[in-house]
Every structure is written in C-alpha cells, then in structure tokens.
Amino acid sequence: MATRETTPGAILPPPRMTTGKVGWIRNNLFSSPSNGATTIIVAALTLYLLWLFVDWAFGTADWSVIPTLGGTLVLGQYNSDSVCPSNDCFWRPQASLLIAMTYFGILWAVAATTLVRGVALTTAFVAAAMALLPLPFDEMGMDVRLLLVANIPAVFLGRWLGRNTPVGSTRNLIIIAFVGFITVYFLLRGIEGVPGLYPVPSRFWGGLMLNILLAAGGITASLPIGIMLALGRRSNLPVVKMLCIGFIEFFRGVPLITLLFMSQTLVPLAFPRDFPLDEVTRAGIVITMFSAAYMAENIRGGLQALHRGQTEAARALGLPPWNTTTFITLPQALRNVVPAIVGQYISLYKDTTLVFIIGMLDILHMGSSFIGSNREFLPHSRELFLFIALVFWVFNYGMSYVSRRVERNLGVGER
Amino acid sequence: MTNGDASDNGVEDIIIARDVHKWFGSFHALRGVSTTVKRAEKVVILGPSGSGKSTFIRTINRLEEHQRGEIIVDGITLSNDVRNIDAIRREVGMVFQQFNLFPHLTVKDNITLAPMKVRHIPRAEAEDTAMGLLERVGIPEQAEKYPAELSGGQQQRVAIARALAMQPRIMLFDEPTSALDPEMIKDVLDVMTELAQSGMTMLIVTHEVGFAREVADRVIMFDEGMIAEEAPPNEFFINPKSDRAKLFLSQILH
C-alpha cells in the first residue's frame, strides 16, 4: 500500500478501515480467522432456529386458544356468571385502570420528562388498543370498548389536572396514590348493598389484573419500607437495629411460598377476628414485606458504598443527621442501586405468580387451569404459555428500559 | 445559644485546647495537646504523616471525639451534648483534602443546602450569597455545573465557598492542596490568602511552606501526637529549636 506523506501535527481523521460499518464488522466479527468462523457458525445456527420458530408460529401453531380465553386471562373469574350475576362487573377493573391512567397523567405533568411522558402515553395507548383486539367483547358489551378507549382522554385529563391544579405537589401525589389505591380496592371488592357494586370476594380476582395489583402494591410500598429498614439497620439505637435485622433476616430467610401459606393461616391471628383482611391483601402484605427485606439490603449496600467524606462534610456544615440522610447520603445511595432496585421489582412482579399456592388464579395459572379443564386445547398449550411469557416479558422489559433511562438521566455529574 | 453575637462576648481566645488525648483503638493518636488560638489568628500546622495534626483539627469540630482533656471553641465547651456540637459546627467551617463536595448537587446547591436547612435562610437570599461567594473564589460561571465537571482546584474553591456560606468564625483546612495538580495549587492558596487578610481565624494543616511563611502568625509542628515546636514562621523556618523540627524541615525543604 502506498503511504502518502502527512504534515506533522495535522489533525487527521482515523484510518478508514477502523471506522464506519465496514470497520465495525471487521473489528467485531472477523478480527481473526477463528472469530470469523465462530461468527459464521453462530449466525447460521441463529437463522436456523429463527426459521424453525417462524415455521411453527405461522404454520402449525394454532393461536385460537388465546382469543378463546380472552378476557379471562386479564380478569380471571372476576366477571363470570357465578361470581358476578348478570356479568356487569366488567366496568370496575376498567374504571380502576382509568384512575391509574389519570395518575400517570398527573405524573407526566409533574415530572415533565420525555421518559414519564413515554411511559404514560405508551400505557394509555396500549390499553386503548386492547379495544381493537378480536377478543370476545360482545358478551361484555360496547361500553367495555369505550372504557378502554377512554384511557387516552384519562391520561390527558391527568396532565391537565397536574398542570392547572395543586394536585401535583409531592405531598398531594402521595395522598392521591393512597386514596386511589383504596378506591380501586373498594371498587374491585364491591360494597354490600350498593347498586352496581355487587361484592366480588377477592379470591375470585385473577388473571393479569391480580399480578398487576399485587405488583403495583408491592412496588409502591416496598421501597419506602425498605428504606426505613435499611436506615434502621444502620441506626445507633440497639433496639431499632435489632428489630430491623430480625425483620430483614426473617423475611429473607423464609421462602416466599412458605410466607404465602403463613399469610393465610398465621397473619389473621394478628388481627381481630372480624377484621376485613381478605386473601389478596394478606398475600400482598407478605409479598411486600418479602420484597422490602431484599430492598433494604440493596439500599444498605448503596449507603455503605458511599465515601465517609460525604457524611463528614455534611456534619462539618452543621447539617443534623436527619438532613444528612435525606439530602446527602440517601439520594446518592438510591441512585447507585437503581439497577438492584429494578431487579427486585422485576423479581417481585414474577413472584406474584406464586399466589396460585394459596388458590388464586393469576394469569399463568388461569392459563394452566384452562388447559387442564379443556383437554382439546392441550396440544396448543405451548402457544398459550408463550403468549403469557410474552406478556411478562413486555412488562419487565418496560421496567428494565425505564431503569436504564433513569440511570442515564441521573448519571449527570457522577464522580 | 451563642448565635450571631458571639463576637460581642469578649472571648479573645477563640479556641482553647487543654491536655487533649485521643485513642484509635489502642493507638494513642493525640498525647496531651494544649494550645490556644486567638481571634483572627492564622495557625499553620505541620508535621510528618501520622503525627496527629489532622486528627487534632478534626477534634475541634467533633469529627473526631477526644477522650480526655478539654476543648473550648468560642466559649462553648465540646462535650457529648448534641446542642453544643451543632452550635460549634455552625461556628466552624472545614475544608477537606478530598474536597468532599456533594456529587449529586450542582455547585450552587452544594453551597446553598446548609444555609437553607440549618440557618433557614430563604432560597433567593441563599443563592445571592452563594453567587457572591463564587465571585469571591473566582468561579461564578460554574454555578450550574456538577462537581465532576470541575477541575480539582475549582472543586476545592467551591468547597471553601460552601464552608463560608455558613458564615463561620473559624475555618479549618485539612491539607487543602495535597490532592491538587501543581498548577491548581496557587488558585486555592490565593483564595486562602485573601480569606486570611479578611480577618478569619484559620487553622491550616499544610505542607506549603511558602504559604505558611506568608500567611501564618504561628506555626505548630506535631510529632507523635504531641506538639514538638510552636513558633512564629520566621523563627520556625529559619532557626528551629528542636532536633525533630530541624530534621523535618531538612526533609521538606530539600
């Protein structure tokens, strides 16, 4: 190759073969004969597997099992004849979804970041798009589709509220979340004697709705509880410290399945006999505590990783311990453990399928019990479980994506 | 509580240390340190590493707890009484070797946080003060940046501004230039010299002999947890009395 003379000291672009698409392929896929061979073999294998899958998915597979199950996957037996006579309970989960969407809208107005906007709009449009699916909505009536489509106006209503009313302050957001959760709970559970709110015992709640309810409750509550446990474990007060260690070690040391069993037998003992604590709430409490124990250890790890100088600087400025935690150490610790926190959230969401152990039918066990009682679909259980896996994956990938974006946004000025 | 009017209480000796002892486990780090610092005095503390000089200034704002003896800062005796500790920390600003800025806050927020949370100064006023201080240390244009975006010298000047924002009567400097590249050191020392001329009481642990000779009223040399020699800078650097000081000076002055 002819070498052209260069002027000493001139700023030159890098040699062509090291950049651009060709350069990338050379460097990463064919950097040596053995690497080239590996690339070709792996690519061939991948294409072959992909071909097998496509051939199955669009050829032999029969996806009709999914529309057959339809809304049952989403709501379980909630709207079935035996649970809800005259089948008009369907609007209640729908209305709950609308409340959640409105809340997302408020968050969008308050946070004013593209990320929150993306999450709010995506969720609203996905919910609305469900109205277009060929699911057997006919038996549920037209109003169901309308309620689904209403998620889009709901999110914009939330944004309007967030911008034009004082609902968006941190304190109000917490209050609204709390009130919203209670409202949704009573909306779903129903109230004896109130027309339109025919009581639906929580053991009949099911499907994806159950997974989402348990996960939403767990995700919201386990972070603050985890923070308190982590701080408690680092406390100088021996009693507080011992209590927190005991709590954390108990909930981490016992399998979740055992805890779920105990929730049905032992937890009621802690409450008065007539205390209205139903199966779902009990399961939710146990899942939250389990998750909070892990969360606490993640956060404690984040706190311990901080340089001692941070606390010293805050103390030297005269900041009292409480302010030092709130403004200096905790924000940094939380930021450092965002990946671990989201990992815990994903794990929590997947663990909600374990409630089958106490007889509740979440989306996964809704599917398996359907296959069990409708043997003609047995050959197509693969399609059904693949679909359910996809549903979980979409949610978890969503959380994972949000987490990466949050990490990047918070990375400003890091070290 | 003495807050804002302590200068009127007639205390001439702003720091009094009497027979201060400190142990780390079984290691005897401070072995009976006694000295007195007058208002507006500049004291440079020298000594080999491990001699207890940093430990001593850290006992003054209770980052280290002394186990025997007595420390009185601006008329307040250091004890386990939390109110006294808080009161003293409001009087005493500190600058660290590693800057210890808060990496998750902007430069401006680093400076305004403590005045707003501890002294309950409104945000607008705190920000005005912060900008004034950044002006004074020569980097007002960096106010909205994060610490990681600044050079070491700029970070240390922010740290000085952050300490000054609490309007302390005493400033402690723990090797403020030891972590800096040579060309950054002068910027920081200039700020400290200006501060010294403004009449601040300063205790400075440093190896910068030139600075010590220019600014210090007195030099204290620590060795093995004790004060080995205490003298005005000209006397100390030109004609040290103790053999320990002579040896030390021959090592740092080449």
Side-chain angles (χ1 to χ4, degrees), chain B residues 96-165:
Chain B
F96 300 85
Q97 182 177 356
Q98 298 297 339
F99 328 135
N100 294 347
L101 293 178
F102 306 130
H104 61 303
L105 300 178
T106 62
V107 164
K108 198 204 273 169
D109 290 342
N110 261 279
I111 302 173
T112 54
L113 180 72
M116 282 165 55
K117 298 299 165 193
V118 180
R119 292 211 191 274
H120 304 290
I121 291 169
R123 175 178 289 276
E125 194 186 327
E127 287 186 351
D128 279 352
T129 316
M131 288 315 294
L133 287 165
L134 283 175
E135 225 41 91
R136 188 169 166 191
V137 300
I139 40 173
E141 72 284 359
Q142 312 288 353
E144 302 301 332
K145 289 195 181 163
Y146 285 89
E149 299 170 274
L150 270 54
S151 73
Q154 291 171 330
Q155 290 193 47
Q156 193 61 298
R157 285 185 278 162
V158 173
I160 295 172
R162 179 177 70 176
L164 290 177

Side-chain angles (χ1 to χ4, degrees), chain A residues 78 83-86 88-89 91-93 95-96 183-201:
Chain A
Y78 191 82
V83 175
C84 187
S86 76
D88 60 357
C89 294
W91 67 273
R92 282 147 61 178
S96 308
T183 313
V184 166
Y185 176 76
F186 279 102
L187 198 57
L188 292 176
R189 184 172 159 274
I191 299 164
E192 192 84 56
V194 178
L197 288 175
Y198 186 84
V200 178

Side-chain angles (χ1 to χ4, degrees), chain A residues 315-328:
Chain A
R315 284 164 63 200
L317 284 167
L319 283 172
W322 180 246
N323 278 344
T324 306
T325 305
T326 334
F327 298 108
I328 306 301

Side-chain angles (χ1 to χ4, degrees), chain A residues 65-149:
Chain A
V65 61
I66 294 154
T68 310
L69 259 161
T72 328
L73 277 180
V74 184
L75 293 181
Q77 297 157 283
Y78 191 82
N79 202 36
S80 63
D81 289 324
S82 55
V83 175
C84 187
S86 76
N87 293 58
D88 60 357
C89 294
F90 202 88
W91 67 273
R92 282 147 61 178
Q94 301 290 339
S96 308
L97 188 60
L98 289 175
I99 293 176
M101 279 307 142
T102 315
Y103 193 73
F104 275 23
I106 300 176
L107 288 181
W108 171 16
V110 174
T113 64
T114 50
L115 180 62
V116 181
R117 183 184 69 194
V119 171
L121 285 180
T122 311
T123 337
F125 276 97
V126 167
M130 291 200 342
L132 305 173
L133 290 178
L135 299 176
F137 284 110
D138 310 334
E139 57 192 71
M140 296 152 187
M142 196 58 205
D143 50 344
V144 169
R145 284 175 199 265
L146 280 178
L147 281 170
L148 280 170
V149 174

Side-chain angles (χ1 to χ4, degrees), chain B residues 129-252:
Chain B
T129 316
M131 288 315 294
L133 287 165
L134 283 175
E135 225 41 91
R136 188 169 166 191
V137 300
I139 40 173
E141 72 284 359
Q142 312 288 353
E144 302 301 332
K145 289 195 181 163
Y146 285 89
E149 299 170 274
L150 270 54
S151 73
Q154 291 171 330
Q155 290 193 47
Q156 193 61 298
R157 285 185 278 162
V158 173
I160 295 172
R162 179 177 70 176
L164 290 177
M166 287 298 283
Q167 298 169 332
R169 299 174 190 288
I170 303 166
M171 284 285 283
L172 307 174
F173 293 85
D174 189 1
E175 304 205 26
T177 56
S178 300
L180 296 178
D181 292 336
E183 74 268 27
M184 310 278 179
I185 292 177
K186 188 176 171 296
D187 294 337
V188 172
L189 291 182
D190 286 349
V191 169
M192 289 167 62
T193 309
E194 186 271 322
L195 190 59
Q197 284 156 359
S198 76
M200 176 70 74
T201 310
M202 293 163 76
L203 267 75
I204 307 143
V205 173
T206 184
H207 300 295
E208 296 294 329
V209 173
F211 174 79
R213 296 180 80 148
E214 184 188 344
V215 170
D217 297 313
R218 180 159 47 118
V219 174
I220 299 180
M221 189 190 139
F222 268 69
D223 188 41
E224 297 184 338
M226 291 173 292
I227 293 181
E229 188 160 340
E230 201 171 349
N234 283 332
E235 210 176 305
F236 179 84
F237 287 113
I238 294 162
N239 188 18
K241 288 189 189 65
S242 65
D243 292 342
R244 192 65 194 83
K246 282 176 193 156
L247 177 65
F248 178 69
L249 285 176
S250 75
Q251 281 160 344
I252 63 167

